[in-house]
Amino acid sequence: MRGLAPYASDPAESRGRLHEEQNSTARGPRDAFQRDRDRIIHSISFRRLRHKTQVFMAPDGDHFRVRLTHSLEVAQIGRTVARTLGLNEDLTEALCLAHDIGHPPFGHAGEDALKAALAGQGGFDHNGHTLRALTTIERPYPGWDGLNLSWETLEGLAKHNGPVRHPGWALAAADAAFPLELDRHSSLEAQVAAIADDIAYDNHDIDDGLRAGLLTLDQLLEVPLVARGWDAVRSRFPDADAKRLMRELVRAQIGVMVNDLLEETRRRLAEAGVERAGDVRAAGRALAGFSDAMRDAERALKRFMYANLYHHPRQLAAAETAQGIVAGLFAAYSTDPALMPEGWGDCLPADEPWRSRHIADFIAGMTDRYAITRYREAVGPIDLPEGF
């Protein structure tokens, strides 16, 4: 077994699980974090990611990324960084694979619609719903609700983007059941998972945007980070076709960002004098991150992507339709719970806010395709714009 750095999360020192489990060794020699990763992979919520939006909604093309392929790409980057830094690869992978499980259909468009629908009932956010799905909604085991993940995995999912000062109701409920120290930074594995997510979508969304024809090479070369990378790969492959060269650019740019992350994280660890995992949480700041120069370059890339891809007119039209689908489903189920399938409509709470939250739980678990189908059954016909 590869040795861990002293500041890595050690499964032998895990704070355990909410529900005590008997005879866990009967299921093989896996440690706590390996079990968490496997439980996530085998969950229904994880399988549903194969038909949930990453950038393009309910894509017909097999070549576009969805939440599942995105999560796998995040995990690949996260494991590479974790291995190089001597962190726990299994915990890192579990966090990378599960970080988007709480996304409803149609990505952020669906989230905005559910947030509006629950405005008077506590709202909705996908990160909080990830915890709710994994601790309450998933029910594969007879002894408890949820997957009964380790404290370290739940903590990392709750605050991989940093301390949470004002948790929404779903995250607050998970924290009340199994206190996650929301006011402190998370493990280094969780911090790495968060940046691996940024690296993955910063670069792979470029690939999908070009494939869809919403981005052009000329546009991309307005971004300094991309322009530098393009000059580097073109000098290495001067006779290569532009399309193949763009794929090489994406690969190379991931490498540049990963190398910067490794160098800067090592510098911060040395500067902070970190000697054990507890020191990471007590540092009072993120210890995994980009250098100042890469942080600024990455933010410039994000601004470009929002202006030219995520807020492209075709994407905005698709998002408007998606919000209408989710809002229409919520209204229909609120009016007539019998439209919900058995197991959902027949156990609808009578009182608010739990009545509305229950309906949102059902909708949030839908895939893009299933939401479209259920809308047509419960509400009526819908014309899907280009981009679906």
Side-chain angles (χ1 to χ4, degrees):
M1 179 178 178
R2 186 179 298 272
L4 295 177
Y7 44 74
S9 296
D10 186 346
E13 298 179 1
S14 171
R15 301 193 196 185
R17 305 179 188 277
L18 178 59
H19 305 284
E20 184 177 355
E21 299 184 17
Q22 302 295 328
N23 301 320
S24 60
T25 57
R27 296 184 179 274
R30 297 168 297 166
D31 64 39
F33 302 152
Q34 290 171 329
R35 292 180 189 279
D36 284 356
R37 176 203 58 208
D38 295 349
R39 290 178 185 191
I40 289 163
I41 289 174
H42 291 293
S43 70
I44 292 174
S45 295
F46 183 72
R47 292 199 295 274
R48 286 176 180 155
L49 295 178
R50 69 189 290 258
H51 290 306
K52 287 197 175 189
T53 293
Q54 174 58 24
V55 175
F56 300 102
M57 299 178 189
D60 290 328
D62 293 334
H63 295 172
F64 291 109
R65 288 167 177 84
V66 291
R67 286 284 165 185
L68 179 61
T69 52
H70 164 70
S71 297
L72 294 173
E73 289 170 339
V74 174
Q76 178 265 329
I77 294 171
R79 283 196 72 113
T80 297
V81 174
R83 177 174 298 187
T84 306
L85 292 174
L87 303 179
N88 189 287
E89 294 179 47
D90 298 311
L91 176 58
T92 305
E93 184 179 26
L95 296 169
C96 291
L97 293 173
H99 79 284
D100 271 353
I101 273 177
H103 269 287
F106 312 118
H108 293 288
E111 181 172 6
D112 289 343
L114 284 180
K115 188 178 299 182
L118 291 181
Q121 313 301 339
F124 179 93
D125 76 271
H126 75 268
N127 196 52
H129 194 72
T130 293
L131 272 292
R132 181 164 172 78
L134 295 176
T135 61
T136 302
I137 299 174
E138 285 279 345
R139 295 173 181 174
Y141 308 117
W144 53 77
D145 291 344
L147 301 186
N148 201 30
L149 301 176
S150 71
W151 183 91
E152 289 75 15
T153 296
L154 294 176
E155 181 231 17
L157 292 171
K159 53 185 183 178
H160 57 278
N161 288 320
V164 182
R165 307 299 182 191
H166 305 288
W169 66 269
L171 182 52
D175 179 61
F178 200 6
L180 300 173
E181 299 179 358
L182 296 181
D183 59 340
R184 305 180 78 197
H185 281 275
S186 61
S187 66
L188 207 56
E189 286 84 358
Q191 295 179 36
V192 164
I195 302 173
D197 181 28
D198 286 339
I199 293 172
Y201 76 73
D202 280 344
N203 292 286
H204 294 144
D205 289 358
I206 288 175
D207 188 30
D208 280 357
L210 289 166
R211 187 182 299 278
L214 301 190
L215 297 178
T216 67
L217 176 58
D218 287 343
Q219 285 178 304
L220 282 163
L221 293 181
E222 297 173 4
V223 182
L225 177 66
V226 177
R228 289 194 297 270
W230 178 255
D231 289 343
V233 298
R234 190 172 56 178
S235 67
R236 290 167 52 210
F237 303 100
D239 299 323
D241 173 79
K243 183 179 293 187
R244 297 183 69 175
L245 208 56
M246 279 305 307
R247 299 293 296 275
E248 180 63 23
L249 169 66
V250 170
R251 292 177 63 243
Q253 193 161 278
I254 290 173
V256 168
M257 296 174 82
V258 165
N259 286 335
D260 182 272
L261 168 62
L262 291 169
E263 181 178 352
E264 176 64 14
T265 300
R266 289 191 182 107
R267 187 193 69 77
R268 294 185 191 183
L269 288 168
E271 181 181 73
V274 170
E275 296 181 352
R276 58 187 187 276
D279 294 341
V280 175
R281 295 186 175 89
R285 64 188 180 100
L287 296 178
F290 293 131
S291 66
D292 290 346
M294 180 57 73
R295 179 200 62 202
D296 292 344
E298 192 263 350
R299 288 177 178 173
L301 174 59
K302 271 191 170 64
R303 289 193 295 270
F304 169 86
M305 295 295 283
Y306 272 93
N308 294 281
L309 179 60
Y310 307 136
H311 292 166
H312 187 282
R314 199 178 93 181
Q315 291 291 87
L316 293 178
E320 183 178 358
T321 300
Q323 290 172 5
I325 292 172
V326 172
L329 285 171
F330 189 91
Y333 295 146
S334 296
T335 302
D336 185 2
L339 293 171
M340 300 169 70
E342 183 180 356
W344 284 97
D346 53 2
C347 61
L348 182 69
D351 299 325
E352 295 290 6
W354 295 107
R355 177 185 172 90
S356 291
R357 292 174 181 178
H358 181 85
I359 295 171
D361 284 344
F362 176 52
I363 296 173
M366 294 181 178
T367 63
D368 295 4
R369 298 178 182 184
Y370 186 69
I372 293 169
T373 298
R374 297 297 300 188
Y375 182 93
R376 286 172 170 155
E377 293 174 352
V379 181
I382 185 170
D383 294 324
L384 301 179
E386 184 182 9
F388 266 82

